Structure formats: C-alpha cells, structure tokens
Amino acid sequence: MTDQSAGFSYDTPPSDVGSLKRAIANKLMFSIGKDTEAASPVDWMHACAYVVRDLLVERWMKSTRAKRRDDVKRVYYLSMEFLIGRTFSNALIALELMPAMRQALKELGQELDLLAELEHDAALGNGGLGRLAACFLDSMATLGIPGHGYGIRYDYGMFRQAIVDGVQVEVPDYWLAGGNPWEFPRPEVIYRVQFGGHVEKHGDRFAWVGTQDVEAMAYDTIIPGYATESTNTLRLWSAKASEEIDLSAFNRGDYMAAVHQKNESENVSRVLYPDDSTESGRELRLRQEYFFVSASIQDLMRRYLRDHQTFDAFSAKVGVHLNDTHPVLAIPELMRLLMDEHLLPHGDAWRICREVFSYTNHTLMQEALETWPVQMLGRILPRHLQIIFDINARFLAELHQLGSGDVDLMRRVSLIDESGGRRVRMAWLAVIGSYSVNGVSALHSALMKREVFGDFAHLWPERFNNKTNGITQRRWLALANPPLASLLDAEIGRGWRLDLSMLAALRGRDGDAPFLRQLRAAKQANKRRLATWLSTHMALEVDASALFDVQVKRIHEYKRQLLNVLHVVARYFSILEQPSAVHVPRVVLFAGKAASAYHMAKLIIHLIHDIAAMINNDPRVGGLLKVAFIPNYGVSLAELLIPAADLSEQISTAGTEASGTGNMKLSLNGALTIGTLDGANVEIREQVGADNIFIFGNTAEEVETLRLTGYRPGAIAESQPALRRVLEAIRDGRFNPESPERYRPIYELLVDWGDRYMLLADFSSYLEAQQRVDALYAQPQEWDRRVLRNIAGMGPFSSDRTIAEYAEKIWRARQINI
C-alpha cells in the first residue's frame, strides 16, 4: 500500500489463517523476543495482540486522514472512567476475525479462549458510568461519528477487591504490570498543567503565575467500529513530573527528597477515585479532574488550530461532551485559554463555550452532585475560581435584567452555595455553560427537570432533553454469549450486530416449542459454564438447573443489595420451617465493589458473606439455596455472570437510579427482571410487556408522598412478623455469633434511623414478587416464552440508537466518509 507521501509504502497485513499464523510467529520472535520453547502463554497472548493491533492501524490512519481532509466536526467525550474491559476479544469481534484467529492458534498448538483469559481488564473505571462511556465509544466508531475519548491512564485503577474473612480489602490493581500492547505512547504529546500559584492583572489581562506544574503525556488506544473502516481514538493522560529528579538532593544523600516532587506530581494519575474521606483525598480528586480536562482542552484546541487561524469556526468543528460533573472544570479551562492565551474578549469566549459544551447528568441525589469548597478551589485553581465568580456575577445580572426580583431564586441558581460553607456547584456550572443538558432515562430526565434543575428548566426549557442509555450488543451479546448469538444468527441472520431492532422478529416465535428448547439450551450452557467457574474459583458447588438470581452492581444503599439480603434470610427461614414444602432451588449471586471509605456498603458485603457461610453449610438446606459474593467484579466477570442469569435484580428505590445499563444487558441475555419502576426499568417494561417483568414496590411519586406524610419503618417492622424476625436475626448475631453486635448498625439504619431508601416499605411487595418468580420458574415452557419476549423487546436499548440520537439532536455531528 502507498500513501500520499512520496516513496512511503507499506504492506497491508493479510488476515487469512496462514497469514495470521506467520504474523503471530513473527511477533513472538521479533517483538516479544521469544521462540516457542521459551514463550509463556502471556507471550503468546501479547504476540496475538500485536498482530490484531496491526490490522487496526491502517483503518485508524484512514479514519484520521478522512477527518482532517473533510474538516469534520469532532466530538470529544470527556469522562473520568472508561471501563473498556479486555481489548483482544472485542477487537476480534470488530474485525470479524474470531474464527480465523481461533483456527490459526489451534494450528500453532494454542487455544484462543485460554489466551484471551490472560488479558487483564483495563483498570480505567468502576461502574456504570465508565461502562457506558466504553459502549458509547464503540457505537461512535461503528456509526462513523468522528470522536475522541479523553480520560486518565490510571496506574492502579480504583482497586482490586479482595475478600479476607468476609471483609472487603482494597489492594492495587496492577493491570499494567505486564505491559499494555494496545496503547501507543505519545511522548511528543505533552501538555503543561498548572496548580496553585496566584493571578496577576496586567491592564485588562490576567496571568496565572508562580504555579507548580505537572506534565500530561498522551497514550492512545484504537477504538474500532464493527465491520467498518471507521475507528476513533481513546486518548488517556498520564502524569509526569516536570523534573525527574532533584540531583542536588540526590548528591547530598537525601534520596527521598530527590524524588519527592516526582512522586507528588505523578500521584495525580495513580488511582481512580482516591478516598475522599480526608482533605488530602478530596484535594487529589480535584487535581485529577483538572489535570485531565486541562490536557484534553489544550489538545483539542491544538488540533483545531492546525487547520484554522481563528476561533470563528470553533463551535462548528468542536463538540465537547461532559460525562457527569467530573469534567465540568473544562468550562472555565476553555474560558481561561481563550481569554488568557488567545486574547479573546470575555463575551466571545463565553459565547463559544456555550456553543461547544453539552452535559449528561447521571444522578438525582443531591449529595452526588459534585461541589468544591471555594477555599480549596481558590488555592489550587485561583484563576478558575475568578472565572467562575465572573460567570456567576454575569449570569445573576442577566437574571436581574430580565426582571427577576426573586432573591430566593437567585440564591438557588447561584453557582456559589452560601449555606454551610461556601462551595461551587459544579452541576450548576455545567447547566449554565452548556447548550444541552440531558438525562439518561425518561423517568430520570423528568425528575431531573422537575427536582434537580427545576429553576434552570423553567429558565431554559429548550436546553433539557432525554437520551435513554444503551449498551453495545457487540460486546454484551456477540462476545459475551456465543450460544445465544449463534442461535440468533441461525434464526434472524447476523445483521442484529448493527441493527438490534431486528430482534423484534422473534416476537412471533413464542409459540415455537423447538426454538424455545434451543433458547433454553443456550441458557443452560451459560449456566453450566458459570457453575464450573464457581466450583473452580470459589469451591462452591451449584446445580445449573436451579434459578440463578443475580445482582451485580456497585454496592450502595440506594441500590438495595440489603433488600435482596432480607429476602435471602426470609427464604432460608422458610426452607427450615417448611422442609416438606415445594421450594424452587435458587442460587443467589452478588458482585460489586464498595467505595473504600463507605463503611455501610462494606458492612453489607460482610453480612452477605456471613449469611452465605451459614446457608451454604447448612445440611438442612441442601441444594435449595446457595449464596455467593463474587469478588472483584468487572467487565470480564460480567461477561461470565450476565449470560447465565435467570433473574435480574434491579431493585433500587424508585426515583434514585438514573437509568441503569445492567438491566439492559441482563434482559438482552435472557434474564427476567424483578425491579421497581425506576430508571430504565420503566422503558424496559414498555418494550417487553408488563406481563414479562416482575414489578414491585412504591413508585417515585409514592416514595415522595411517604416521606412527606411521615414514614415510620419501625411500625412496618412491627406489623410484619416475617420481616421482624429477619431483622432481629441480623441484629442479634444469628449469622455471626462470634461477634453478635456486628450488624446492629444495619438494624438501626433500617428500623431506628429512618430507612432512607425505604427497604421496609417495599419488603412485602418484594416478597410477593419473588413468589411470582418461583411460580413461573416452576413452569419451564412459560418461563422460556417470557425470556424470548424480553430478548425480542430489547432492540431500542442499543447504544447505537443512543449515539445516533446524540449525534443528530445534540452534537450535530455527521458520519465520516472514508
């Protein structure tokens, strides 16, 4: 292949089996430096990764050239998290190369699945926020939307979750220890990021001086689209010291002081979400957020200025999307650069900002809407605090000029919260500085406009909209669930990988007994795979014919893992008290991480382990009930658990979950949902039908009414004997006799301290819904029909649909022509 540079030519790597074998051998020999006798399985995996990366690079270069040639509008997606999982198998899916690579490795005496298991999940995220960002990058590339992801290259991720005697222990996630063959280091792409110092005024200009600087170095990863030449780039920033070593200190023998500044600088990209229970932890998080947005904004401005002399076309060529409040400092940073570095007047800079930024809100809970103390922000980012105060003053002046004499309104919408210590409201800044603000499910968007941003929605109703989340079917069905994917290919063709609405063709098959048997066989294959894993990795023997009840998500009180626990204990007591009754065998599986400083979430994890230890070792229970907490939940574990699930627990308090995407993944893979009318559960019910989902509990409106009229959880506990018995067993140490006071705080939280997330209010409804689950599971054919209806209804929940809506209605970005 020859490109436009005279004399520059290269060989396009072929991808047939024979060529793959030779390419793998060459990489093993010349890139890894090993022959077949010396090579370890990890060496083989890296050799394969380099081969696949080579196949992506030409597409990457074509896409990059096409974007610049056509001077397209680029979308920059800023996110603190990108939970991309393993790259190797996902790239094979995108290249449609899985069969050829499998055969090539087989002929070389290697097994693809075993090698793929050796790749570490990239430790770049924790939960739904990061996984959504990863799905969106996949869909942007597949749809040909010119985009870049920007984030941080964390050395150790958030943490690797270990369980020691039932207790969560956080240890570093050394995901980079063996190297990362997928990234391209860019030592030539380095930006200066400033902290501290002070601001000097020179005429009508400002200079930020006397700062302590950190360098941000870029690392690029290719994001391939499926069955297309289109690719995008995930650019991650790693913190580097401006000076590697203080040589004078080293020569004095003060070796710690010699590297102190280097360590301080590089702490910025060490871990995701440092413990913010301390002042130093909160300050580090603020530094992280500014570090990555400063480097990103500088980078995208540099890219724009390569082909433009002025900023007149900036908003036509650049869109910056803020994934929640973490990147909102990008707004004052762009203002700073436009005014201080490029000498634009304030009015022009502010107009450009409000034409460039769009913002997605992901939470309804006030405590999760990020704020920063004025004092801290002023000390670390003094110029940005000036700019924020200026934005606020001008905004409030505009309100006053519009005739608003409502002092209370101005207090509520001010960027500065003056109550209880002055703090900057970052979500408010995002709303004021963006041209679009969206929620992520129909219910969430309605509540967001009414409750969280009600005043702003009244001022600018056209600014607010909904874009219901979605997931990429390439990873969450084609890759994660080969048995079901193969069945769908045979029935409706392979086109669903690009058009998930094709699943609707299955709606007429719910009376097809042979097809339903094949559907059940696919599920059973996945359950047997998980059962084998549980036996091997956790020494837990489970029956694959039992109902697999799965709750996998971040551990948080509002997600109500504790409500699930209450049901498990009630179920255990029922088995003991009615041994001759018919009980549907059930395997209850939990997984998820608790934030390191979140004591109650960690206590819930401990409780799950104590309950599991008792139930799993009680001979009276036998195979009727098994319980397990699977540690260190991440993308690869999700790919194992989700296809095997029969029941999907989506049981958050109504009005607290923004959307959820686990609900979509599980339903797509043939799990029936038990859930509240919260987040995207509402829209899932609309698509799959009310008879094919187990809805329980109070609605968001009923929850609010309960709070306003006086919620008394203690009275509920007293009025329900089964509930009272469960609560007292937990309180009195039934599951932990060696430390009977351990779980008293959980009892007090629910009974004495107000039960904030209303577990007790929903308990009886939840138990009734679980009884309906048991009754249906005892009718296999009817259960399978409901499974099929769920799968058939999941077409609207593809991230391709979501991204197409963002591109058309928010970003106004067009598909590239390669």
Side-chain angles (χ1 to χ4, degrees):
M1 178 72 69
T2 302
D3 77 358
Q4 296 173 354
S5 302
F8 182 78
S9 62
Y10 57 88
D11 296 325
T12 299
S15 56
D16 59 277
V17 172
S19 298
L20 287 174
K21 286 172 59 181
R22 189 163 187 83
I24 293 167
N26 284 336
K27 292 296 182 184
L28 192 65
M29 178 70 74
F30 301 115
S31 296
I32 308 297
K34 300 277 187 75
D35 61 16
T36 56
E37 291 186 8
S40 69
V42 171
D43 295 327
W44 279 100
M45 185 269 290
H46 280 171
C48 292
Y50 285 125
V51 169
V52 174
R53 192 182 76 166
D54 285 353
L55 291 166
L56 295 174
V57 165
E58 185 176 13
R59 297 183 180 197
W60 193 31
M61 297 301 154
K62 285 182 179 178
S63 292
T64 301
R65 286 194 297 267
K67 291 169 190 175
R68 189 170 187 187
R69 178 197 68 214
D70 297 340
D71 194 19
V72 297
K73 182 174 185 177
R74 302 173 195 240
V75 177
Y76 298 96
Y77 195 87
L78 273 59
S79 179
M80 281 288 283
E81 300 184 38
F82 288 95
L83 198 60
I84 60 176
R86 291 171 174 152
T87 302
F88 178 50
S89 48
N90 189 66
L92 291 177
I93 290 286
L95 291 164
E96 298 184 286
L97 204 59
M98 190 74 77
M101 179 61 75
R102 188 181 301 280
Q103 183 61 33
L105 284 170
K106 182 178 179 181
E107 293 180 15
L108 289 168
Q110 303 295 318
E111 186 175 337
L112 186 150
D113 293 338
L114 294 179
L115 296 184
E117 289 287 326
L118 297 175
E119 182 181 5
H120 286 286
D121 278 27
L124 301 171
N126 173 43
L129 184 78
R131 187 51 237 173
L132 180 75
C135 284
F136 278 8
L137 291 187
D138 177 278
S139 288
M140 289 171 72
T142 297
L143 296 179
I145 305 301
H148 296 252
Y150 278 124
I152 296 178
R153 181 182 182 266
Y154 301 103
D155 294 341
Y156 307 115
M158 189 166 88
F159 57 79
R160 182 172 63 82
Q161 181 190 52
I163 303 295
V164 179
D165 297 327
V167 177
Q168 172 180 291
V169 176
E170 301 88 19
V171 297
D173 187 342
Y174 298 106
W175 73 286
L176 290 168
N180 179 8
W182 300 103
E183 66 184 8
F184 291 86
R186 301 299 193 199
E188 75 281 8
V189 181
I190 289 182
Y191 296 99
R192 173 193 180 210
V193 179
Q194 300 168 261
F195 296 101
H198 62 279
V199 180
E200 295 178 351
K201 186 174 183 181
H202 304 284
D204 60 352
R205 299 295 175 189
F206 294 87
W208 184 16
V209 298
T211 56
Q212 302 86 47
D213 299 344
V214 176
E215 292 184 340
M217 176 181 157
Y219 287 78
D220 290 346
T221 299
I222 305 171
I223 304 297
Y226 172 77
T228 174
E229 294 279 286
S230 171
T231 66
N232 283 324
T233 303
L234 173 59
R235 173 160 285 183
L236 302 175
W237 302 105
S238 182
K240 307 294 181 185
S242 54
E243 293 186 10
E244 284 289 309
I245 189 170
D246 182 343
L247 194 57
S248 62
F250 188 88
N251 289 336
R252 292 194 308 269
D254 193 348
Y255 305 127
M256 294 297 292
V259 295
H260 173 75
Q261 189 57 49
K262 173 181 170 64
N263 290 335
E264 283 286 306
S265 298
E266 297 182 0
N267 280 341
V268 171
S269 59
R270 298 282 191 214
V271 299
L272 167 66
Y273 300 144
D275 184 345
D276 62 358
S277 63
T278 65
E279 183 75 6
S280 59
R282 288 189 289 274
E283 180 174 321
L284 179 56
R285 185 176 291 200
L286 176 60
R287 287 175 178 268
Q288 280 189 331
E289 293 181 5
Y290 176 65
F291 165 78
F292 105 85
V293 301
S294 176
S296 302
I297 296 296
Q298 291 182 68
D299 192 51
L300 66 87
M301 291 179 78
R302 175 196 59 80
R303 189 174 293 110
Y304 170 82
L305 290 170
R306 286 186 313 184
D307 300 309
H308 302 86
Q309 300 301 312
T310 72
F311 287 96
D312 294 346
F314 193 71
S315 61
K317 301 301 179 183
V318 171
V320 181
H321 197 84
L322 307 173
N323 191 29
D324 216 7
T325 53
H326 309 117
V328 171
L329 283 166
I331 294 173
E333 175 66 356
L334 180 57
M335 288 287 290
R336 180 186 74 84
L337 292 168
L338 289 172
M339 293 188 299
D340 297 357
E341 302 294 330
H342 297 280
L343 308 181
L344 266 67
H346 183 282
D348 290 346
W350 185 234
R351 174 185 53 78
I352 288 171
C353 279
R354 295 185 75 171
E355 293 174 350
V356 164
F357 287 105
S358 51
Y359 162 62
T360 294
N361 170 268
H362 285 280
T363 184
L364 295 167
M365 293 187 287
Q366 288 292 333
E367 65 270 24
L369 294 172
E370 200 166 48
T371 63
W372 292 110
V374 166
Q375 182 274 333
M376 180 186 290
L377 201 59
R379 176 167 50 83
I380 297 172
L381 301 171
R383 179 63 177 129
H384 298 75
L385 184 61
Q386 279 188 341
I387 292 169
I388 289 168
F389 271 119
D390 194 30
I391 291 171
N392 194 46
R394 292 169 187 256
F395 166 58
L396 295 178
E398 287 176 10
L399 275 187
H400 185 71
Q401 290 169 6
L402 290 173
S404 174
D406 187 341
V407 176
D408 192 50
L409 169 66
M410 299 181 81
R411 177 187 60 78
R412 293 195 306 269
V413 299
S414 172
L415 295 181
I416 311 301
D417 183 355
E418 304 283 356
S419 61
R422 304 177 80 205
R423 302 180 71 88
V424 177
R425 297 160 160 157
M426 302 307 290
W428 275 219
L429 178 57
V431 172
I432 291 173
S434 299
Y435 66 86
S436 172
V437 178
N438 72 279
V440 291
S441 71
L443 175 63
H444 168 248
S445 295
L447 293 174
M448 177 188 74
K449 287 189 288 187
R450 189 179 75 204
E451 298 177 4
V452 181
F453 299 131
D455 292 320
F456 295 108
H458 180 72
L459 291 170
W460 305 306
E462 73 288 346
R463 191 170 299 188
F464 292 83
N465 59 91
N466 175 60
K467 298 291 174 285
T468 298
N469 282 344
I471 59 174
T472 170
Q473 63 268 30
R474 270 82 60 181
R475 180 176 287 273
W476 294 110
L477 183 49
L479 177 59
N481 197 339
L484 180 56
S486 296
L487 178 59
L488 294 177
D489 289 347
E491 293 299 318
I492 61 174
R494 296 174 57 84
W496 55 267
R497 290 167 173 80
L498 289 172
D499 180 7
L500 199 60
S501 67
M502 287 179 62
L503 294 181
L506 298 171
R507 285 198 166 108
R509 304 297 299 278
D510 59 359
D512 185 339
F515 180 70
L516 291 176
R517 284 195 294 270
Q518 289 178 286
L519 187 63
R520 173 165 285 264
K523 175 64 71 174
Q524 285 303 120
N526 291 317
K527 292 173 71 174
R528 286 193 298 272
R529 181 178 64 152
L530 176 57
T532 300
W533 189 95
L534 290 170
S535 176
T536 302
H537 292 84
M538 301 189 67
L540 179 65
E541 302 300 326
V542 301
D543 183 352
S545 67
L547 186 153
F548 281 20
D549 179 348
V550 173
Q551 189 174 19
V552 287
K553 53 186 76 242
R554 178 166 54 94
I555 309 299
H556 196 289
E557 289 167 77
Y558 87 85
K559 293 180 182 287
R560 301 204 298 189
Q561 285 90 356
L562 196 50
L563 179 59
N564 192 348
V565 169
L566 297 181
H567 164 248
V568 168
V569 175
R571 193 177 190 90
Y572 174 52
F573 288 165
S574 175
I575 292 170
L576 297 185
E577 292 166 1
Q578 304 173 56
S580 60
V582 176
H583 298 282
V584 173
R586 190 178 291 218
V587 177
V588 183
L589 300 172
F590 297 87
K593 294 179 180 179
S596 57
Y598 194 169
H599 172 72
M600 182 54 65
K602 295 169 83 169
L603 192 62
I604 291 168
I605 291 174
H606 201 173
L607 175 61
I608 292 170
H609 280 87
D610 279 345
I611 289 172
M614 178 169 287
I615 291 175
N616 295 344
N617 292 289
D618 190 333
R620 296 171 296 176
V621 175
L624 293 178
L625 182 61
K626 296 290 184 183
V627 182
F629 184 96
I630 301 175
N632 205 39
Y633 183 62
V635 175
S636 293
L637 266 178
E639 292 169 1
L640 174 71
L641 286 162
I642 287 172
D646 292 307
L647 187 66
S648 165
E649 298 272 355
Q650 308 297 330
I651 59 177
S652 53
T653 312
T656 60
E657 186 72 80
S659 169
T661 53
N663 46 8
M664 303 171 189
K665 295 162 194 161
L666 283 151
S667 188
L668 178 63
N669 279 275
L672 302 190
T673 300
I674 182 169
T676 52
L677 285 174
D678 196 27
N681 291 352
V682 177
E683 289 153 273
I684 290 175
R685 183 179 70 160
E686 292 171 358
Q687 295 299 323
V688 306
D691 292 339
N692 304 304
I693 186 171
F694 302 98
I695 295 297
F696 74 93
N698 289 282
T699 65
E701 292 75 15
E702 289 166 343
V703 166
E704 187 61 24
T705 299
L706 264 176
R707 289 199 173 111
L708 292 174
T709 56
Y711 174 50
R712 297 174 57 219
I716 293 176
E718 282 299 317
S719 68
Q720 297 181 26
L723 173 59
R724 184 173 69 249
R725 184 178 178 194
V726 168
L727 291 168
E728 290 174 351
I730 292 171
R731 179 196 65 189
D732 297 339
R734 168 79 177 265
F735 302 100
N736 50 298
E738 77 289 351
S739 182
E741 294 294 309
R742 179 182 297 155
Y743 301 119
R744 181 171 288 272
I746 289 178
Y747 176 89
E748 292 170 344
L749 179 79
L750 297 178
V751 178
D752 301 330
W753 297 345
D755 183 22
R756 178 181 178 185
Y757 296 108
M758 298 196 173
L759 282 72
L760 306 194
D762 283 348
F763 178 78
S764 63
S765 177
Y766 181 51
L767 250 61
E768 187 275 331
Q770 291 285 11
Q771 290 165 3
R772 286 189 279 130
V773 170
D774 285 340
L776 186 64
Y777 195 74
Q779 307 171 61
Q781 290 183 333
E782 186 57 32
W783 181 277
D784 294 343
R785 275 191 282 271
R786 309 283 180 95
V787 166
L788 180 60
R789 292 168 192 161
N790 268 261
I791 296 170
M794 292 308 293
F797 299 100
S798 169
S799 52
D800 294 350
R801 184 269 314 156
T802 313
I803 288 299
E805 291 180 0
Y806 274 98
E808 177 187 356
K809 298 177 182 178
I810 295 180
W811 301 330
R812 297 183 289 278
R814 296 183 178 179
Q815 185 179 29
I816 57 172
N817 180 25
I818 300 176

